[in-house]
Structure formats: structure tokens, C-alpha cells
Amino acid sequence: MKRFNRNWAIATWLFFLAICIFVVSRVQIGADLSAFLPRTPTPAQQLLSEQLRDGVFSRLMLIGIEGGTPDALSQASKLLALRLRSEPGLSLVNNGDEDSLARDQAFLLENRYLLSSAVTPEHFTPEGLHSALENSLQLLGSPAGIMIKHVIPRDPSGEMLHILDGFAGQSQPSAHDGVWVSRDGKRALLLAQTKAPGFDIDAQQHIIELIHTRFTEATRSSEFAGLNLVISGPGVFSVHSRDHIKGVAFNFSIITSILVSIMLLLVYRSWRVLALSLLPVISGTLAGIAAVSVGYGIVYGITLGFGITLIGEAVDYAIFFFTRLAPGKPPGTALDKIWPTLRLGVMTTVCGFSPMFLADFPGFAQLGLFSVVGLIVAVLVTRWVLPNLVPGNFATHTPAFLSAWVMRLIRQAPRLRPVVLVAVLGAALFITLHQGPVWSDNLSSLSPLMDADQRLDQSLRRDIGAPDVRYMVIVSGKDREDVLERSEKLGAQLDKLANNQTLTGYDSPARYLPSEKTQRARLEALPEPAKLQANLRHALTGLPFRENLFGPFLSDVAAAHNRPLLTPEELRGTNLGLQTESLLAQRKDGWIAILPLRGVTDALPIQQALANQEGRPVLLDLQLESDSLYQTYVHEAIKLSALGALAIVLLMFVSLRSVRRVAMVLLPLAAAVIITTAIVLASGQKLLIFHLIGLLLAVAVGSNYSLFFDRESGSDDHDENSQRTMLSLLVANISTIIAFGMLAFSGVPLLTAIGETVAIGAFLSLLFSAVLMGQRVAR
């Protein structure tokens, strides 16, 4: 019967492991911001999520070429752009070259009567044309005269100048040899748009590799020696984040496993113990990833990186098991006496992380699910599988001097109580009197990006003249035509506000793609050829222009009557099309138009103007929204942590049934949390949400230590068993410090925050448990 139970346990475990491996082999890893957006976001948060996942912004790549002379950089930019424009995976490549500029200018000139808001019947009367010609005459005598001299015969009414006037205030990068360069001339600049959306990380990675390949092909000549390529953008961020976190998870797991393995070999001097100790770790990690994949359909990179920590926690259970194996005792009974305490320790961890399931943010909920499932599976494998994998007479032999040394330290530890008391009071006072904000107020602190990636992106955006937009107006409608019409009506109000200095300017999709209603009205405003010619003749009275000079103008107006209306398809492939796509978005319930505002001095008049608009457009303050979003994160994390802490305390009372015992178990944990928090703040950091998660995990881990000290202080176990238990706590603590300490060097800010917090908190939890309860154990 025992043999049957043994085989059944092993077979069940292997079957479960096979299922987990099958699920994990098909796991999809995500690295976008939606991990930290609420499940029920506000309109602004939803807009941000959509744009980052599938909007035109998610498909933009900023490309820089560095390391050469301005001439070499410009030439390399032209060669690279030439190669990239033939790639089917890219819908647009622009480096500011003359061909691209000429294409945009030709498009504007051909469609000026559809695009110019100055096209009205009054504009083509003799008085209107006379005024426009006088303005052109003045410009001919100015430095701009050379530029407009060839345009006047086709456009004496000044439509091109009016259109270009609307673009005034938009930042433009510097140029050298006809292509974009940074202001200092040390970097050539290109802008590329991928056809694949930003959330398709594999497609984005393929484009990045393609750009590097084409750059290598274009710069093989010796004149380009020393040039290097840099790329940034949302798609690049996703690829780098995924690759970095996968690399961290793989490399640090190997390093952590090696270090923990060395420690286990030194303590147990057995390869069998080493191999079997890793089984709960492997089982728990696979189960955690599989559970998240099944539950959410995607595993965020932060969750994968967090899996490293399971090595330090799950291996503790195997350590408790092997340390208590003794000659003459069946392996199945090794955990019998400490199982209630070990089970309680696991339950405290589950209680601590279970409230995270309630988080409104998928990223937090995934961490909670991963931790709970992983640790439960790890302890079940330790309890029911490991005893069946070792021979019946197997026992571990730890160095006797090591156990004796541990007990001597425990006997001496209570002498540090005054020191601990002073340290806790000092830490609490330091936190209370801390100058400046304790919590980070920067939403970017949630980003898995490395600092170097963020600095490069800021530098490229600054060079290419990307605007720093804080305010934008969101216009909603049932279809594209509806939002364009509403944008045009809103534009009239924004023009008045600009004249009143409330803002310096704005952008609108209707500027590049007017509504069909407006386009038809502008065509209808154009006079018939005979009428226009008569009006022009009267307008030229008193002006030094020859009448036959404006034949192209008369021909263009006549042709415009038969010109089809502009559509998004005609704009595609131009810079105007890119701009239009970035300002229009289709949603499930209709369309929205985005109107970024520049130089807002007072938001109140804008809000008052919007209140009277059809459909009630929304003024978004992105800074206010990001601050609000981050505060929501903080409040959510604090609330969930408080619920977790309360659940742990209630569980302690139910299990221990003694106020004094509960207080003794919780005091070391509270002291560790206070001092760990003070250490983080004293290092010059602000607290992140992930420091709070780290503190919660430190409490969950530390509760194992204080619970075992509580058990041993009232146990009638033989002295050797007590020594084994205390030794197992030390070994388990060292493994935890190794795992989380390695995570602190990951280079991923949020993983670093968790790693350093748990490593410090776990060490202090064991130390303070020995200081506060060691005397009772030693006695």
C-alpha cells in the first residue's frame, strides 16, 4: 500500500509537471504599459493604453546616426532612407530630405483649395484678390521673396501661405545637406513608421534587426567608418524590456542557482540533496507561470523576472525537510513535527499575497497569483513528493560545529535588545522627520525601461523637435466624418482663444483632412472661370502684375472644380498622413480626434469654451492624469498591503490563540519593516510601489523565521532537533538573501526595488527573531 501511495504521488507530480511545461512552452510574454493600467480605466487612461498598444505612436521609431562628420552623417542618412523606403514592413521613412519635402509641398499645392480655411466666396472677389496680391507684393520685397516668387503665378490668392501659416509654431529639426540633424550636428535623424502595431513585439524586433542590417549595408564604405546607429520608440522599448527581463530571468536564475547550490553542498555535502532541493523550486516556478498564462493569456515581463525570487523562498521548504532527516527515521515523518508551523508559514504568505488578486491592475494581480500558486506547489512537492524520492534509510549529516556555532549565536543574540530598540526608535523618528516626499510621484518609476533607454529617447525627441504636450482636447463622434466636423467647429473657438493669448497654438486632424462637408463648401466657393478672370482683372488695377502672369492660377481653379475630395488613402505615405493618423483613432464605440494644445497659459477659459460645444469635448491634462494614475497605484498598493497584513494577523490569532505569542511573532517583523524602510530612504531613494510589495514579501518570508522561533521556544524536542531547526532557518535565510540580493543587481528598477527590500527585510527578520526570542529557544 505504501509503495502504491509512493508511486501515485510521483506519477501525479510528473503528470502535473508535464502539463505545466506544455503551457509554459506556449507562453506569450508582454512588456507594454497595460500591465499597470486599471481594468476599468478612465477615458484618458484608455486613450493612453490604446495609443501605446495600437496607435500610430506605438509604430513610430526614432533613428539616429552618430560618430562621424556632418557630411558623413547626412550621406549615411540618405543611403539608409533609400534602402528602408523599399521595405514592405515600413509604411513611412522620413529624414527631411528634399524629395520628401518636395512631395509634401506638391501635395499641398495641388490640394490647396481643399485644405485652406481661407477659401471663401469673399476671398475671390476683386477686393479679396486685390488684398492678397498686395500682401504677395510686400513679401516679394522681403527675404522670403525668393521662396514665393515661383508660387505667385499659381497661387496669387495666397492659399499656400495660409496653409503654411497654420503649421507655424510646430517644432522642426535642424538640417544639414538637405536632411535632418541635431542642433549640434553630431547626429543625423530619421523617422520611421512600421505597419505592425506596437504590441506585436516579434514584428517590431524584426524591423529593428532589419534597420540595423540596412544600416550596415549602407555604410560599408571607409568614409563611414566609426558610424553607429541608435533607435528608440515604443516598439523598441517593448523589445528591449522583454529581452532584458528574459535575460535577467535566465542569467540571474542560473547565477542564483549556482550560489544556492554551492551553499547547499557546503552544508549537506550531498549531490543528491542538491538535486532534490531544486525540485520544489522548479515545480513552483513552472506552476506559477502556467497559472498566470492560463488566467491572463499573457505573462508580463515583470512577472517573469519576479520568478527568480521563488528560488530563494521555495528552496526553504526543501532545506527544512533535509535538515530534519535523521538516521533511523522514515523520510515521510521528517516534517511531521514542524508541519503545522511550516503550514502556518505558507498560509501567512498566501494571506499576504491573496489581496493582490483584487488589484485593479493586471500587473499586480499577476504577481499575487504567481506567488501564491508557486509557493503552494513548492510546499506540496516538499511534503508529498520529496519523501518518496529518497531512500528509506537516507539521512543528512551537517557539520556539527556549524550547528553548535548557530546555537551559540542565538544564545548571545538577546544581548542586542537595547541596540535593536534604539535602532527601531531611531528609524521610526527618521521616517517621521524625513525631508521631502517619502513616496515617488513619478509614473515612470513603474517603467521596466533602463535609464539609458529613457535618456536616449529623450535626447532623440529633443533633437527631432517632438513637442512636450501637456494639454489636449479629445473630440468624440460616431464616425470619422463626425469627429472631423466637430473638430472644425472647435478649431474656430480655439482660434479665438489663441488670439486672446490663452494658448499659442494647437493641432487638429481637420487641418490635414477637412471634413467632406467643408471640402465641398470650399469647392463651391471657387468662382466659375469667366467670373474669376473678370475678378482678377479688376483686382490687378494699380498693381505692377501682368494679367497673363496668372494663367496657371486660372487653370488650377478650373481644374479644382472637378477634383475628387481628399481621403485618408490619398494622404498615406506623406508626412501629413502620418500627422493625421496620430490625431485620429477608431474605437469600439466610434471615433475620436485628438487636438494637442501648445503654450496654454490658463486652462479655465478652454474648459468654459468646451462646455458649449456639441458632444462635450474633454480637456485632458496629461500631467494631472499621470499624477492621478500614480496616486491610484499607491493607494491601491497600500490598501492591498494593509489587507494582507490584517489577514496575516488574524491568521496568527486563529492559529496561535495567544495575544502574547502573536505579539512575539509579529514584533521582529514590524521592527524589520521599519528599519528596512529607513534604510531605503537613507540611501536617497523614494519609496516605490514595488518597495511596498517587497516589504509584504519580507513579512511573509520573515514570518517563517519568527514562527519557528516561537515553536522551538515551547517545544519539547530533543536538543539535536532544535539545533537542526535553527540551522535550517539560517541556511534558508542565506538562500533568500542570495536570490533577492541578486535581483537587486538586475538593472530593472522595479525588480531592484523588490530585491533590495526583501534581502534586507529577510535578514533583519531572522536577526530580530533571534534577538527577541533566542533566549527562550536557548533555554
Side-chain angles (χ1 to χ4, degrees), residues 26-40:
R26 288 160 173 75
V27 70
Q28 181 181 354
I29 300 174
D32 58 73
L33 187 64
S34 59
F36 299 106
L37 286 174
R39 291 190 181 95
T40 54

Side-chain angles (χ1 to χ4, degrees), residues 571-602:
L571 288 168
R572 192 160 292 136
T574 67
N575 294 313
L576 303 178
L578 175 63
Q579 196 77 351
T580 306
E581 285 187 60
S582 68
L583 301 177
L584 282 175
Q586 185 176 13
R587 307 175 72 174
K588 294 179 180 179
D589 56 349
W591 283 71
I592 60 169
I594 306 168
L595 282 70
L597 309 182
R598 299 190 300 271
V600 175
T601 57
D602 187 359

Side-chain angles (χ1 to χ4, degrees), residues 87-308:
E87 295 296 337
L90 294 170
S91 58
L92 177 71
V93 176
N94 190 8
N95 64 343
D97 61 1
E98 294 178 356
D99 291 341
S100 176
L101 184 61
R103 187 165 56 249
D104 287 344
Q105 289 177 341
F107 181 86
L108 290 175
L109 189 61
E110 290 297 322
N111 296 280
R112 62 190 182 275
Y113 298 116
L114 295 173
L115 295 171
S116 174
S117 60
V119 176
T120 61
E122 296 75 21
H123 194 52
F124 295 92
T125 61
E127 295 77 16
L129 289 172
H130 186 85
S131 177
L133 287 167
E134 283 184 326
N135 184 53
S136 299
L137 189 61
Q138 292 176 359
L139 288 175
L140 283 172
S142 70
I146 299 177
M147 298 175 58
I148 69 165
K149 184 177 180 180
H150 69 283
V151 179
I152 289 178
R154 292 190 64 181
D155 188 31
S157 59
E159 310 308 335
M160 276 292 290
L161 291 176
H162 182 78
I163 293 172
L164 296 175
D165 222 23
F167 299 153
Q170 298 184 8
S171 300
Q172 293 291 331
S174 302
H176 177 81
D177 195 20
V179 298
W180 291 336
V181 296
S182 58
R183 295 189 184 278
D184 59 9
K186 295 181 179 180
R187 177 188 286 161
L189 304 167
L190 299 91
L191 184 68
Q193 180 184 2
T194 66
K195 291 183 178 178
F199 67 82
D200 189 346
I201 302 181
D202 291 333
Q204 295 291 323
Q205 183 172 24
H206 172 72
I207 293 297
I208 293 171
E209 294 170 353
L210 178 68
I211 293 173
H212 279 283
T213 300
R214 296 295 177 260
F215 174 73
T216 302
E217 295 171 354
T219 57
R220 285 175 177 168
S221 173
S222 59
E223 64 179 302
F224 300 122
L227 297 187
N228 65 286
L229 188 75
V230 292
I231 311 176
S232 184
V236 180
F237 295 158
S238 296
V239 172
H240 285 185
S241 297
R242 182 186 67 174
D243 291 347
H244 182 64
I245 292 177
K246 285 176 66 176
V248 165
F250 180 76
N251 296 330
F252 279 65
S253 294
I254 291 178
I255 296 173
T256 302
S257 299
I258 291 174
L259 293 177
V260 172
S261 298
I262 292 174
M263 181 195 65
L264 293 178
L265 283 175
L266 291 175
V267 173
Y268 298 110
R269 294 171 291 182
S270 168
W271 288 99
R272 175 179 288 175
V273 170
L274 171 60
L276 294 178
S277 295
L278 297 179
L279 294 183
V281 177
I282 296 171
S283 303
T285 302
L286 291 174
I289 296 175
V292 172
S293 180
V294 171
Y296 294 89
I298 185 173
V299 179
Y300 293 117
I302 174 61
T303 307
L304 188 64
F306 191 72
I308 307 171

Side-chain angles (χ1 to χ4, degrees), residues 329-347:
K329 290 185 177 181
T333 64
L335 292 176
D336 285 352
K337 289 189 175 182
I338 67 168
W339 176 245
T341 303
L342 183 59
R343 182 179 57 203
L344 179 58
V346 175
M347 290 173 66

